[in-house]
Amino acid sequence: MSETFEGYERQYCELSASLSKKCTSASLLDGEQKKQKISEVKAGIDEAESLIRKMDVEARNLPPNVKAVLLAKLREYKSDLNNLKSEIKRIASTNLNQAARDELLESGMADAAAVSADQRGRLLISTERLNKSSDRVRDSRRTMLETEELGVSLLQDLHQQRQSLLHAHGTLHGVDENIGKSKKIMTNISRRMSRNKWIIGFMVTVLIVAIILILYFKLK
């Protein structure tokens, strides 16, 4: 995993946790404060979508084994972001009028305790999301380290194979040189043998002529 992807992922995880908390706060507000909080969440969702697009582009430029892992993580991030979109739409569509709000405030300690419990539940969900995001970052880092170790091992094996091929090439080159020298030696020997044959033939011819001349003069 590249450092660029890891940086985008860290930003997204922090932003996702912040958006979850803002959704929880927005659900407890009303009026202009609620509208402002919803606007902040929508702007954050746009930023989160931009980070996901950047991570997607970065992941597709990585080796296949790493790309597959990161694209699977991106699908989970997109699913989380869709859940946030649904949540903020639900909050935005909830229009409590003033009378309902007053009735809620006058409902007593029981309703207040229920609201507090609901808020605690939402905060727990946000914390759980943040923990999951942190676990994903750690998993991504571990995957990156394992991939790097595998790449280093492969490079070492390739280097050893290259050295073996170079050594074999050097041996073959030496054999070629020895064969060339042997050919030259055999050619020289062949030439010498041919020359010696001509010399011997000439000497035999001279001897035969000499013998014939000797016999001729003796018999004359």
Side-chain angles (χ1 to χ4, degrees):
M1 185 171 63
S2 67
E3 293 182 0
T4 303
F5 184 93
E6 187 177 354
Y8 290 149
E9 184 179 31
R10 189 182 302 109
Q11 293 178 39
Y12 172 79
C13 292
E14 293 174 355
L15 180 59
S16 177
S18 175
L19 291 176
S20 297
K21 292 180 180 179
K22 287 182 179 180
C23 282
T24 302
S25 300
S27 65
L28 301 175
L29 297 174
D30 195 12
E32 292 300 323
Q33 290 181 342
K34 183 175 182 179
K35 291 180 180 179
Q36 181 180 358
K37 189 65 68 174
I38 290 174
S39 298
E40 291 177 3
V41 173
K42 289 181 177 180
I45 289 175
D46 291 338
E47 184 180 354
E49 288 179 334
S50 176
L51 288 171
I52 286 179
R53 286 194 295 270
K54 291 178 180 178
M55 285 189 286
D56 185 77
V57 172
E58 185 68 22
R60 294 182 186 278
N61 292 326
L62 295 174
N65 56 339
V66 180
K67 179 174 68 176
V69 176
L70 297 184
L71 289 179
K73 291 170 65 64
L74 282 176
R75 286 193 290 271
E76 294 180 5
Y77 292 155
K78 290 177 182 178
S79 177
D80 290 342
L81 191 59
N82 287 332
N83 291 335
L84 281 174
K85 288 180 181 179
S86 300
E87 179 70 11
I88 198 62
K89 285 181 181 179
R90 183 190 66 78
I91 294 172
S93 63
T94 304
N95 294 319
L96 293 176
N97 56 33
Q98 187 64 33
R101 182 173 181 273
D102 293 340
E103 183 180 355
L104 180 63
L105 292 174
E106 293 173 357
S107 60
M109 293 300 295
D111 290 340
V115 171
S116 178
D118 182 67
Q119 184 178 6
R120 285 197 300 272
R122 292 180 182 276
L123 288 174
L124 287 173
I125 292 173
S126 300
T127 303
E128 184 179 356
R129 280 184 178 176
L130 182 58
N131 291 334
K132 287 182 178 179
S133 299
S134 299
D135 292 339
R136 288 170 183 166
V137 172
R138 285 193 294 269
D139 291 340
S140 298
R141 185 183 295 275
R142 183 172 62 254
T143 302
M144 177 191 67
L145 293 175
E146 291 175 353
T147 304
E148 287 180 353
E149 290 177 358
L150 178 60
V152 170
S153 177
L154 290 174
L155 287 175
Q156 290 176 348
D157 291 341
L158 290 174
H159 179 71
Q160 291 177 356
Q161 293 176 8
R162 180 176 179 273
Q163 293 297 325
S164 298
L165 290 174
L166 290 175
H167 178 71
H169 177 73
T171 302
L172 290 175
H173 182 69
V175 171
D176 289 340
E177 288 183 351
N178 291 332
I179 291 174
K181 291 179 180 179
S182 298
K183 285 182 178 180
K184 290 181 180 179
I185 292 171
M186 294 300 294
T187 301
N188 291 332
I189 291 173
S190 177
R191 288 176 180 175
R192 289 178 181 176
M193 289 178 66
S194 177
R195 187 169 58 247
N196 290 337
K197 285 181 181 180
W198 283 103
I199 293 172
I200 292 171
F202 177 74
M203 292 177 66
V204 169
T205 303
V206 171
L207 288 173
I208 292 173
V209 171
I211 291 170
I212 292 172
L213 289 174
I214 292 170
L215 291 174
Y216 174 76
F217 285 113
K218 282 186 177 182
L219 297 174
K220 186 175 177 182

